Amino acid sequence: MARIRLTNKRRKALIGLTFVSPWIVGFLIFTMYPMLHSMFLSFHRVKITPTGIKTTYVGFENYKYAFFSDPAFVEKVLKYLQEMALNVPIIVVFSLIIALLINQKIKFRGLFRTIFFLPVIITSGPVINELLNQGATSIPNIEQYGLFTMIENSLNPVIAEPIMYLFKQIIMVLWFSGVQILIFLAGLQKVDQSIYEAARIDGASSWEIFWKVTLPDLMPLVIVNVIYTIVYVSTFALNEIIILIKNNMFSTITGFGYATAVAWVYFIIIMLMLAIWTGLLNMKKR
């Protein structure tokens, strides 16, 4: 019987597969079936009764209702796309700037890292909801300086509304940056210092070193952080589309079938967002 000869590449692939196999098994057992079942329910009208779940096949009616009869869903999706177009680059750029700052040899560097990561621990749904109610997620007294009036008068409403949203929620937006800061820090600490020394000897300025050395080395982590940011913000408990899905699950008008249809549409939108952002970043990387 011939023995299978493992090359070094195959051996590494097998080791990687071994480490990831618990997740694969868990996904197939605990996640795959609920996902497929939810897709099945999205094509049905679902009624939960004391004797069990009763389904009536309606085809694509739930999906048609989402786009053509439910103004709340379309409005929230458009708002979500506008917010993501602003939130993702702001969160990633802010994370990179903070990582560059606290990567320097400064006193209390560990304390600063803890401070910027602390919101990740406390930003649960109820905490954020309470802060929103108290107005603690915006810059205090920003409206008193007439900034919102100037934006409304000088910009198109399509552009002005997302910008005003950003100013109103800027503290909360920046709170989503904790994990991304740590990822960038890990990348910065692995950059070969000899490259920096060679660049300085050649007369490169700090600005040139950042664009020619630091940023190219961090581009894979930029892509990782963009993916993480999109997924994290999109699945946050206070996301309006998530709330809409939960409300429709127990609605007597739409019901569970419609909620699963909306969830699948939202899932596809998130996948498209990930594909667009990662595609643009990969083109920039090349």
Side-chain angles (χ1 to χ4, degrees):
M1 184 175 178
R3 296 178 60 183
I4 299 175
R5 186 175 181 181
L6 289 178
T7 62
N8 189 40
K9 184 178 181 179
R10 289 180 178 178
R11 187 179 294 107
K12 289 182 178 179
L14 184 61
I15 293 172
L17 185 61
T18 303
F19 277 102
V20 81
S21 59
W23 181 88
I24 295 175
V25 173
F27 176 80
L28 294 175
I29 296 175
F30 300 108
T31 306
M32 179 63 76
Y33 173 74
M35 286 183 64
L36 295 177
H37 188 60
S38 70
M39 180 177 287
F40 167 80
L41 294 177
S42 70
F43 295 101
H44 292 75
R45 183 178 292 110
V46 181
K47 187 176 182 181
I48 301 176
T49 65
T51 58
I53 298 176
K54 295 183 178 180
T55 59
T56 304
Y57 180 75
V58 294
F60 288 92
E61 290 301 318
N62 287 327
Y63 293 93
K64 292 179 181 177
Y65 184 85
F67 286 103
F68 302 109
S69 301
D70 188 356
F73 173 69
V74 176
E75 178 185 352
K76 292 182 187 301
V77 166
L78 293 175
K79 185 179 178 181
Y80 161 81
L81 294 175
Q82 290 176 344
E83 292 174 0
M84 292 299 292
L86 285 171
N87 291 350
V88 172
I90 287 174
I91 290 173
V92 173
V93 171
F94 174 80
S95 304
L96 178 57
I97 292 172
I98 296 301
L100 289 169
L101 291 175
I102 61 179
N103 190 52
Q104 305 299 318
K105 295 180 180 180
I106 56 175
K107 292 183 178 180
F108 309 112
R109 182 168 58 177
L111 177 62
F112 289 127
R113 293 177 183 177
T114 304
I115 291 172
F116 282 106
F117 187 74
L118 190 61
V120 177
I121 302 173
I122 65 174
T123 51
S124 61
V127 173
I128 289 294
N129 193 39
E130 184 62 28
L131 292 173
L132 283 169
N133 293 334
Q134 295 180 10
T137 58
S138 60
I139 300 175
N141 302 324
I142 189 172
E143 295 186 36
Q144 294 182 3
Y145 298 98
L147 182 59
F148 287 171
T149 304
M150 182 182 68
I151 293 174
E152 288 178 336
N153 294 336
S154 58
L155 296 176
N156 187 285
V158 177
I159 302 175
E161 289 181 7
I163 294 176
M164 288 190 292
Y165 162 83
L166 180 62
F167 279 111
K168 290 178 182 178
Q169 308 292 337
I170 191 166
I171 294 178
M172 188 176 73
V173 169
L174 299 181
W175 275 4
F176 287 113
S177 307
V179 173
Q180 295 89 322
I181 292 172
L182 292 185
I183 292 174
F184 278 135
L185 271 174
L188 287 170
Q189 292 172 0
K190 288 188 177 182
V191 177
D192 190 356
Q193 296 299 314
S194 62
I195 300 177
Y196 288 132
E197 294 176 1
R200 293 190 186 96
I201 292 172
D202 289 339
S205 64
S206 299
W207 185 252
E208 291 172 332
I209 290 174
F210 171 77
W211 285 104
K212 299 296 184 181
V213 178
T214 306
L215 190 58
D217 280 349
L218 293 181
M219 277 306 296
L221 298 183
V222 171
I223 297 173
V224 170
N225 278 334
V226 166
I227 294 173
Y228 175 84
T229 302
I230 292 174
V231 173
Y232 183 55
V233 175
S234 300
T235 57
F236 190 59
L238 295 182
N239 184 293
E240 292 188 5
I241 302 181
I242 299 293
I243 295 173
L244 178 69
I245 294 171
K246 291 180 180 178
N247 291 339
N248 278 289
M249 287 175 62
F250 306 102
S251 173
T252 56
I253 300 174
T254 52
F256 200 87
Y258 175 71
T260 55
V262 171
W264 272 101
V265 172
Y266 186 46
F267 171 76
I268 293 171
I269 291 172
I270 294 174
M271 292 298 102
L272 289 174
M273 289 282 291
L274 290 172
I276 291 170
W277 277 99
T278 54
L280 291 174
L281 288 172
N282 280 320
M283 288 175 59
K284 181 67 176 176
K285 182 179 177 182
R286 288 196 293 268

